[in-house]
Amino acid sequence: MRPDYKELDPQKTYLITGVAGFIGHFLAKRLLEQGCRVAGIDNMNDYYDVSLKRSRLAGLMQINGGSSAFSFIEGDLADKGTVRAVFNKYRPNIVVNLAAQAGVRYSIENPGAYIQSNITGFFNILEACRHSYDQIDQNSGYQGVEHLVYASSSSVYGANQKVPFAEDDCVDHPVSLYAATKKSNELMAYTYSHLYHLPATGLRFFTVYGPLGRPDMAYFSFSRKIMNQEPIQVFNNGDMYRDFTYIDDIVSGVERVLCNPPGAGGVRHKVYNIGNSKPERLMHFIETLEKALSRVTGRRQAAKIEFLPMQPGDVPRTYASTDRLEQDFGFKPRTGIEEGLLKFAAWFKDYY
Ligand SMILES: NC(=O)c1ccc[n+]([C@@H]2O[C@H](COP(=O)([O-])OP(=O)(O)OC[C@H]3O[C@@H](n4cnc5c(N)ncnc54)[C@H](O)[C@@H]3O)[C@@H](O)[C@H]2O)c1
């Protein structure tokens, strides 16, 4: 653990982008429950079911009896004026950039969406962080943005063979445009740290799942199809491994990083993996999901499987090394898929 480690500071203002998204929602919830002020922005795009995004937001509005600690702004990061106005109004101390066009397969279909949100949007965030230093104000004590934390992804490791994936491994061979935008974010953040002394931390998340999760992800469509007795498509003939990471573990990891920007003495930019460090064979994951769905519905749920070849942009295996995270923050995800999928299945049965 870092000797200078600091717990979450409820006196700070946190700006979360992508707050109506899966991870953004749970992070905002955690911060609000601990008495923090949270401003959240999201463009509410219809890449997946917007009503799910609305219900996540409605949940946030109710925390602490609907206190004024949470402000929501519907707006697009690709619009520079909007981003600047949000920074001017809320003067965040800590910025967490989670807004992005996510998904690997969709980046083949609609590459432009990735450039818009992940490149232009992230550039606007970096610029707003940089210009927050023009607002430093001795009277109010505002110091500008003290830490930018942003979502990267395990997809930056591409088809690397060496496992577990460690932060210092070469990540110069992305196999999807999504991965290329995430790697670009790391490079862009590094440059802003170098040029403007913006302290920044990139978090490479590994396949995040849980209640209120993303309908475009495989476990979600698998669940719907298993319950409807429709066949599920399993790529690479099932020979795939994923380091599935439960949402609460991701949020705990992010929470520990927030008030701990990379230390002075060099460029203040660092990258961490947050993953379970326990890759699951996809077929075992599906069996565990069948059991969880059977348990919550009280009847046997069996998947009908259609095996297909590997899809372009996909990778056969993800596996996180969490040594760096453990060393600096004394934390490592611990939730196994048996426990995590049961919680997901219970929510899924009620919501859908
Ligand atoms: N869920 C995972 O398994 C996973 C894995 C690795 C990395 N990530 C990254 O973590 C972050 C959060 O992922 P998530 O699973 O919560 O995704 P999500 O799609 O549920 O959330 C992203 C949110 O950002 C919003 N958004 C997208 N473009 C925007 C824009 N231009 N302006 C404003 N809002 C915009 C969307 O409406 C959405 O609500 C993303 O950056 C994603 O790439 C997620």
Side-chain angles (χ1 to χ4, degrees):
M1 185 102 131
R2 287 169 55 155
D4 58 345
Y5 176 79
K6 288 198 189 68
E7 296 287 343
L8 185 76
D9 184 350
Q11 300 304 318
K12 309 250 182 228
T13 299
Y14 298 80
L15 172 65
I16 302 180
T17 76
V19 75
F22 173 39
I23 301 173
H25 157 82
F26 279 105
L27 179 65
K29 180 168 184 282
R30 177 80 63 89
L31 299 189
L32 289 167
E33 283 168 353
Q34 295 187 68
C36 303
R37 275 186 309 277
V38 175
I41 179 169
D42 202 296
N43 69 0
M44 305 300 281
N45 70 61
D46 63 0
Y47 166 61
Y48 64 75
D49 187 4
V50 181
S51 68
L52 179 56
K53 295 184 183 182
R54 295 209 183 286
S55 69
R56 292 184 188 129
L57 279 182
L60 293 178
M61 303 289 184
Q62 283 160 12
I63 297 175
N64 305 334
S67 81
S68 57
F70 178 59
S71 314
F72 174 65
I73 309 101
E74 183 162 344
D76 199 310
L77 295 197
D79 178 6
K80 193 176 190 164
T82 302
V83 175
R84 191 168 284 179
V86 167
F87 273 68
N88 287 343
K89 178 163 182 194
Y90 295 98
R91 304 219 291 180
N93 307 106
I94 294 170
V95 176
V96 190
N97 188 62
L98 299 172
Q101 179 55 58
V104 166
R105 293 192 187 125
Y106 186 64
S107 67
I108 307 234
E109 223 172 284
N110 186 2
Y114 292 75
I115 301 300
Q116 176 99 344
S117 292
N118 306 8
I119 301 294
T120 306
F122 190 60
F123 165 66
N124 289 338
I125 290 291
L126 288 170
E127 277 289 284
C129 288
R130 164 193 174 190
H131 287 295
S132 73
Y133 301 133
D134 306 340
Q135 317 252 313
I136 291 178
D137 174 7
Q138 302 307 339
N139 294 329
S140 68
Y142 184 61
Q143 295 295 317
V145 172
E146 294 157 36
H147 195 190
L148 166 67
V149 177
Y150 64 94
S152 181
S153 163
S154 62
S155 64
V156 300
Y157 291 105
N160 280 10
Q161 299 280 321
K162 180 199 146 266
V163 288
F165 297 160
E167 290 87 345
D168 287 331
D169 292 349
C170 173
V171 289
D172 288 342
H173 304 98
V175 298
S176 67
L177 187 69
Y178 169 67
T181 63
K182 290 292 176 181
K183 160 81 184 188
S184 306
N185 288 174
E186 295 182 359
L187 296 174
M188 292 159 79
Y190 179 91
T191 308
Y192 272 68
S193 299
H194 170 70
L195 290 176
Y196 310 113
H197 311 292
L198 169 67
T201 302
L203 301 175
R204 295 176 177 166
F205 300 142
F206 283 66
T207 320
V208 191
Y209 72 99
L212 284 92
R214 265 177 37 211
D216 63 313
M217 289 182 69
Y219 69 94
F220 208 105
S221 66
F222 285 173
S223 303
R224 192 178 314 208
K225 288 179 176 165
I226 291 172
M227 304 254 284
N228 292 337
Q229 294 165 323
E230 290 166 25
I232 63 173
Q233 298 183 322
V234 174
F235 298 109
N236 205 29
N237 299 311
D239 191 18
M240 299 260 254
Y241 293 80
R242 284 289 178 277
D243 206 348
F244 291 99
T245 312
Y246 189 63
I247 181 68
D248 289 0
D249 287 330
I250 291 286
V251 171
S252 297
V254 178
E255 182 188 339
R256 270 159 228 249
V257 169
L258 290 179
C259 292
N260 296 286
V267 177
R268 300 185 71 186
H269 178 263
K270 236 172 158 177
V271 166
Y272 293 89
N273 289 336
I274 308 189
N276 224 37
S277 204
K278 190 174 179 293
E280 300 287 351
R281 205 182 142 83
L282 190 55
M283 297 312 293
H284 173 65
F285 181 84
I286 294 170
E287 283 159 23
T288 311
L289 180 61
E290 288 174 327
K291 280 187 200 148
L293 290 170
S294 305
R295 195 155 148 203
V296 299
T297 57
R299 66 189 160 91
R300 186 163 175 273
Q301 305 285 351
K304 294 180 187 160
I305 295 173
E306 186 186 339
F307 288 112
L308 291 171
M310 190 77 167
Q311 293 288 290
D314 234 342
V315 297
R317 177 192 294 264
T318 63
Y319 180 178
S321 157
T322 50
D323 291 352
R324 187 180 283 183
L325 188 73
E326 281 181 81
Q327 238 160 44
D328 286 359
F329 299 108
F331 175 75
K332 159 183 200 327
R334 299 222 175 268
T335 312
I337 58 168
E338 286 74 14
E339 181 187 346
L341 281 177
L342 198 56
K343 289 183 182 161
F344 164 74
W347 168 79
F348 185 84
K349 177 190 141 245
D350 289 344
Y351 192 83
Y352 281 90

